[in-house]
Amino acid sequence: MIIAIDGPAGSGKSSTARAVAARLGITYLDTGAMYRAITLRCLREGIEVDDTAALATAVATADIRFEDRDGATRIFLGGEDVTEAIRSEAVTGRVSDYCAPAVVRQKLVEEQRKIALGRSIVCEGRDIGTVVFPDAELKFFMTASPEERAKRRQLDFQALGVVKTTVKLVAEITERDRKDSTRDLSPLRKAPDAEAIDTTGMTLEEQVDYIVNKAVAYLQQGNGTVPASNNLNP
Ligand code: DC
């Protein structure tokens, strides 16, 4: 079974997807982390977003892996644990640019499909229900007001020791949404058959319960089983 969760930054999809996967005992895949890892590599190596040849090589040779450690998923780039580095302001500020070119998207979508082969998965991103897994059994599109999303981001930043005003965060989120929704390839968009969930005012527990209940109902209708394999690296 594939559960696709899309939505803009701060809509609650990452925390929800992670918790839904844990509750169902299936794999969680954060596709945004993969785009962030490529962005980190390019920034470190001075690869410009319009240098298609260098970008193609960087993506083709990037060894991105996920590992579960102490109940948390960590991401590795060429063997280095970059879980914290990919959340830096520098990466967050540029990821919408580096995730847009076709050479990046084609390769990462291929990797995402490989990870899902033969296993049940909760996959979250921007184009999961529309492009990566258009046949996903369950699709959700999570939204929340910009103010609510800014508040959630503020908590994420506080945990990193970064102080930002709500006004600045709303502006940053709105700009990232604009870039993610207007790019030519696989823009952020609700799939026609996805269920919209407005998480403004919902607790994380309510969001998780909502999707878990839908998944359980789906499975109880005899629509499939949950395979045992949860290994993230194909
Ligand atoms: O979910 P996130 O904020 O970590 O995602 C980082 C960026 O990656 C986001 O600005 C858009 C891009 N992204 C994408 O284009 N397609 C996906 N499936 C996931 C993320």
Side-chain angles (χ1 to χ4, degrees):
M1 174 174 64
I2 293 180
I3 302 176
I5 305 182
D6 289 303
S11 57
K13 64 185 188 318
S14 299
S15 326
T16 304
R18 190 180 301 118
V20 167
R23 285 262 297 272
L24 296 174
I26 63 178
T27 299
Y28 162 59
L29 179 60
D30 171 3
T31 60
M34 299 172 80
Y35 291 99
R36 285 173 178 271
I38 294 298
T39 304
L40 176 68
R41 179 171 195 193
C42 290
L43 292 179
R44 281 177 172 176
E45 296 179 12
I47 297 170
E48 297 293 341
V49 74
D50 52 3
D51 186 345
T52 306
L55 202 50
T57 306
V59 186
T61 59
D63 175 24
I64 298 174
R65 294 190 159 261
F66 292 94
E67 262 181 44
D68 282 330
R69 292 205 180 155
D70 303 324
T73 305
R74 305 202 63 86
I75 179 164
F76 293 81
L77 176 66
E80 177 193 348
D81 185 341
V82 293
T83 312
E84 278 79 31
I86 62 164
R87 305 280 157 200
S88 70
E89 273 205 85
V91 171
T92 302
R94 292 304 308 280
V95 63
S96 284
D97 300 321
Y98 282 96
C99 74
V103 283
V104 176
R105 301 209 72 84
Q106 274 160 9
K107 177 73 181 150
L108 292 192
V109 168
E110 195 183 302
E111 292 295 317
Q112 290 154 18
R113 289 180 180 149
K114 260 195 228 164
I115 290 172
L117 272 184
R119 51 174 75 110
S120 282
I121 189 164
V122 181
C123 187
E124 55 108 345
R126 303 293 190 286
D127 59 344
I128 309 306
T130 50
V131 173
V132 185
F133 300 118
D135 298 329
E137 285 84 350
L138 293 173
K139 297 184 186 179
F140 299 94
F141 191 84
M142 298 180 77
T143 57
S145 69
E147 291 72 23
E148 172 85 20
R149 296 195 281 131
K151 256 193 257 161
R152 292 175 187 167
R153 280 285 136 152
Q154 210 154 27
L155 294 176
D156 292 344
F157 276 118
Q158 268 168 20
L160 296 172
V162 178
V163 179
K164 284 201 185 198
T165 63
T166 311
V167 173
K168 187 163 183 347
L169 278 168
V170 170
E172 281 179 9
I173 283 176
T174 309
E175 175 58 7
R176 195 138 69 95
D177 287 353
R178 187 192 64 75
K179 283 187 182 169
D180 291 341
S181 316
T182 56
R183 66 174 179 235
D184 291 341
L185 276 176
S186 324
L188 167 66
R189 191 170 293 158
K190 178 184 162 310
D193 52 348
E195 182 179 346
I197 307 175
D198 184 345
T199 67
T200 312
M202 278 175 90
T203 64
L204 174 62
E205 202 184 358
E206 286 167 344
Q207 295 164 35
V208 176
D209 281 348
Y210 187 83
I211 295 180
V212 167
N213 289 340
K214 290 270 173 173
V216 169
Y218 181 84
L219 292 171
Q220 279 171 346
Q221 284 160 12
N223 282 315
T225 51
V226 179
S229 167
N230 288 319
N231 180 3
L232 270 170
N233 300 302

